[in-house]
Amino acid sequence: MLASTTTQRLFSLEEGLNMDQDQKQQILNRLNIIEGHIRGVKRMVEEDAYCIDVLNQTRAIAQALAKLDALILNRHLHSCVITAIRSEDVGERERVIAELMQVFERIH
Amino acid sequence: MLASTTTQRLFSLEEGLNMDQDQKQQILNRLNIIEGHIRGVKRMVEEDAYCIDVLNQTRAIAQALAKLDALILNRHLHSCVITAIRSEDVGERERVIAELMQVFERIH
Amino acid sequence: MLASTTTQRLFSLEEGLNMDQDQKQQILNRLNIIEGHIRGVKRMVEEDAYCIDVLNQTRAIAQALAKLDALILNRHLHSCVITAIRSEDVGERERVIAELMQVFERIH
Amino acid sequence: MLASTTTQRLFSLEEGLNMDQDQKQQILNRLNIIEGHIRGVKRMVEEDAYCIDVLNQTRAIAQALAKLDALILNRHLHSCVITAIRSEDVGERERVIAELMQVFERIH
């Protein structure tokens, strides 16, 4: 499920990993919160909470995921996309544009 | 975060809990899978996976959440909504309809 | 494209058409606004407007459609769904619930 | 409603308008189809079509809008975004990235 399609790395770019370390930790913190939120929903289901209350929580998780996506996309645009588009490799440009279109169409 | 707005119970309705027990377990199983999937994304971030690979996984999690929502909504329609609409309490009817509209508008 | 799958009527229910006439007009007014908005976007494209400006307008149209959906769904819940669920025809109940699930899954 | 926030033009770029003319016509054709589809939904409402049939049509219109968005975004990525990111103007890069994030967050 989680096999990387490319060896490109999320945060280790020539801008230096240290700035990324903060952002990386920010993303990990958000994932920890989402993980805790999922466990909270499990408890609600085990304790026979009202359906609508459970649905409100899964919506809040979906919104937290959307904010996480925005953080990662913003990071990607400022690193991988700029690097590829400013390169002389037209193939790299097409690759990052095709990837952005795929992300866009999957959430649309 | 997870305070129930009403003491109405998700699965313990007069139709008998046993059938619900299977469905309840089905929902808990899906939540376990989503929780594991979140941990998988954390590993990807820790291992500096490519941004787009991470975004593909968060999309898959969002879709898993949407399927979970459908399971819970279907359950709700077949229990709480039918019970409320077939009751003589117009207020109960309005309540469940208002809740359905809220769910609809939150995901729209 | 627009063949009705059932002879059920949107607004002509035993509650009396007059109240529905206002709501019907409200929905038609919104459709007129959306139609005008589409024509506005056509002019923008003809006049070579900036891509992002056009995308902002198509988003506004999508949100107007979502509000229209909510108006129609709310109308449906208060008429067809109540009528079907309060009937003694279990098949009718299942039909309206299946339809609601389809609407929910299409927008999710 | 349709005031352009910038005088940047959608299709008239140094790559030559002719190729864009086909794409511009493709977008105008899709807008015409959507406009006709809206009129079709108006007829359904006037003829008291079944609520769910109307909702299925508004969903189809929303999906047509989403496809139109993808066409425009793809065009934008291949023209304005490449031009701005390959320029030496860091402000232009930040502008187009901020715009892409706005589009992403509005549809998410």
Side-chain angles (χ1 to χ4, degrees):
Chain A
M1 165 211 72
L2 299 180
S4 158
T5 51
T6 135
T7 52
Q8 178 74 40
R9 303 177 70 81
L10 178 66
F11 291 104
S12 56
L13 290 159
E14 68 285 5
E15 289 96 348
L17 198 59
N18 47 12
M19 179 275 286
D20 301 342
Q21 203 49 40
D22 296 344
Q23 191 152 18
K24 186 170 167 178
Q25 195 51 52
Q26 190 187 7
I27 288 173
L28 288 170
N29 293 346
R30 285 177 183 248
L31 283 163
N32 286 328
I33 291 168
I34 291 171
E35 191 181 347
H37 206 158
I38 298 278
R39 278 198 292 273
V41 172
K42 276 167 60 179
R43 275 195 307 277
M44 289 178 79
V45 172
E46 280 151 0
E47 293 161 7
D48 298 334
Y50 185 48
C51 317
I52 297 294
D53 293 342
V54 178
L55 288 176
N56 286 337
Q57 293 308 321
T58 54
R59 268 321 76 211
I61 292 170
Q63 281 155 355
L65 272 173
K67 284 191 185 126
L68 182 72
D69 285 353
L71 210 60
I72 293 171
L73 179 65
N74 194 26
R75 174 68 210 159
H76 180 63
L77 289 168
H78 278 97
S79 51
C80 314
V81 170
I82 285 183
T83 303
I85 290 183
R86 290 183 65 81
S87 80
E88 295 314 312
D89 184 338
V90 177
E92 270 293 284
R93 266 183 245 166
E94 286 304 326
R95 179 180 66 81
V96 293
I97 285 178
E99 285 173 348
L100 287 175
M101 286 307 299
Q102 198 196 32
V103 167
F104 175 86
E105 283 160 4
R106 279 198 73 165
I107 58 168
H108 212 326
Chain B
M1 167 210 72
L2 300 177
S4 159
T5 51
T6 133
T7 52
Q8 178 75 40
R9 303 178 70 81
L10 180 66
F11 291 105
S12 55
L13 291 159
E14 63 288 6
E15 289 95 349
L17 198 60
N18 46 14
M19 180 275 285
D20 301 343
Q21 204 49 40
D22 297 342
Q23 192 151 19
K24 187 171 166 177
Q25 195 52 52
Q26 190 186 7
I27 288 173
L28 288 171
N29 294 345
R30 283 177 184 249
L31 283 163
N32 285 329
I33 291 167
I34 291 171
E35 191 181 346
H37 206 158
I38 299 276
R39 278 199 291 274
V41 172
K42 277 166 61 178
R43 277 195 305 277
M44 288 178 80
V45 172
E46 280 150 1
E47 293 160 7
D48 299 332
Y50 186 48
C51 318
I52 298 294
D53 293 342
V54 178
L55 287 175
N56 287 337
Q57 294 307 321
T58 54
R59 267 324 74 212
I61 291 169
Q63 281 156 353
L65 272 172
K67 284 192 186 124
L68 182 72
D69 285 353
L71 209 60
I72 294 171
L73 179 64
N74 194 27
R75 176 66 212 159
H76 180 62
L77 289 168
H78 279 97
S79 50
C80 313
V81 172
I82 285 184
T83 302
I85 289 183
R86 290 183 63 80
S87 79
E88 293 315 313
D89 183 339
V90 176
E92 270 293 282
R93 269 183 244 165
E94 285 304 327
R95 179 181 66 83
V96 294
I97 285 177
E99 284 174 348
L100 287 175
M101 285 308 298
Q102 198 196 33
V103 168
F104 175 86
E105 283 160 5
R106 279 198 73 164
I107 58 169
H108 211 327
Chain C
M1 165 209 77
L2 300 177
S4 159
T5 50
T6 134
T7 53
Q8 177 75 41
R9 302 177 72 81
L10 180 66
F11 292 105
S12 57
L13 291 160
E14 66 285 8
E15 287 95 349
L17 198 58
N18 48 12
M19 179 275 286
D20 300 341
Q21 203 50 39
D22 296 344
Q23 190 152 22
K24 187 171 166 178
Q25 195 52 52
Q26 189 187 8
I27 287 173
L28 288 171
N29 294 345
R30 283 176 184 249
L31 283 163
N32 285 329
I33 291 167
I34 291 170
E35 192 181 344
H37 206 157
I38 297 278
R39 278 199 291 273
V41 171
K42 277 166 60 179
R43 275 195 306 278
M44 288 178 79
V45 171
E46 280 152 2
E47 293 162 7
D48 298 334
Y50 186 49
C51 317
I52 297 295
D53 293 342
V54 179
L55 287 176
N56 286 337
Q57 294 308 321
T58 54
R59 268 322 76 212
I61 292 170
Q63 281 155 356
L65 271 173
K67 285 193 183 123
L68 182 73
D69 284 353
L71 209 61
I72 295 172
L73 180 64
N74 195 26
R75 177 65 213 159
H76 181 63
L77 288 168
H78 279 97
S79 51
C80 313
V81 171
I82 284 184
T83 303
I85 289 183
R86 289 183 64 81
S87 79
E88 294 315 313
D89 183 339
V90 177
E92 269 294 281
R93 267 182 244 166
E94 285 303 326
R95 179 179 64 81
V96 293
I97 285 178
E99 285 174 348
L100 287 175
M101 285 307 299
Q102 198 196 33
V103 168
F104 175 87
E105 283 160 3
R106 277 198 75 165
I107 59 168
H108 213 326
Chain D
M1 163 212 74
L2 299 178
S4 159
T5 51
T6 134
T7 53
Q8 179 75 41
R9 304 178 68 80
L10 179 66
F11 291 105
S12 58
L13 290 160
E14 65 288 3
E15 289 95 348
L17 198 60
N18 46 12
M19 179 276 286
D20 301 342
Q21 203 51 38
D22 295 345
Q23 192 152 19
K24 187 170 166 178
Q25 195 52 51
Q26 190 187 6
I27 288 173
L28 288 170
N29 293 345
R30 284 177 183 247
L31 283 163
N32 286 328
I33 291 167
I34 292 170
E35 192 181 345
H37 207 156
I38 297 277
R39 277 198 293 273
V41 172
K42 278 166 61 177
R43 275 196 307 277
M44 288 178 80
V45 171
E46 281 152 0
E47 293 161 6
D48 298 333
Y50 186 49
C51 318
I52 297 295
D53 293 342
V54 178
L55 287 175
N56 286 336
Q57 294 308 321
T58 54
R59 269 319 77 212
I61 292 169
Q63 280 155 356
L65 272 173
K67 285 193 184 122
L68 182 72
D69 284 352
L71 210 59
I72 294 171
L73 180 64
N74 194 26
R75 175 67 212 161
H76 180 63
L77 288 168
H78 279 97
S79 52
C80 313
V81 171
I82 285 182
T83 304
I85 288 183
R86 290 182 65 81
S87 80
E88 294 314 313
D89 184 337
V90 177
E92 270 293 282
R93 268 183 245 167
E94 284 304 325
R95 179 179 66 81
V96 294
I97 285 177
E99 285 175 349
L100 287 175
M101 285 308 298
Q102 198 195 35
V103 168
F104 175 86
E105 282 160 6
R106 278 198 75 164
I107 57 168
H108 212 323

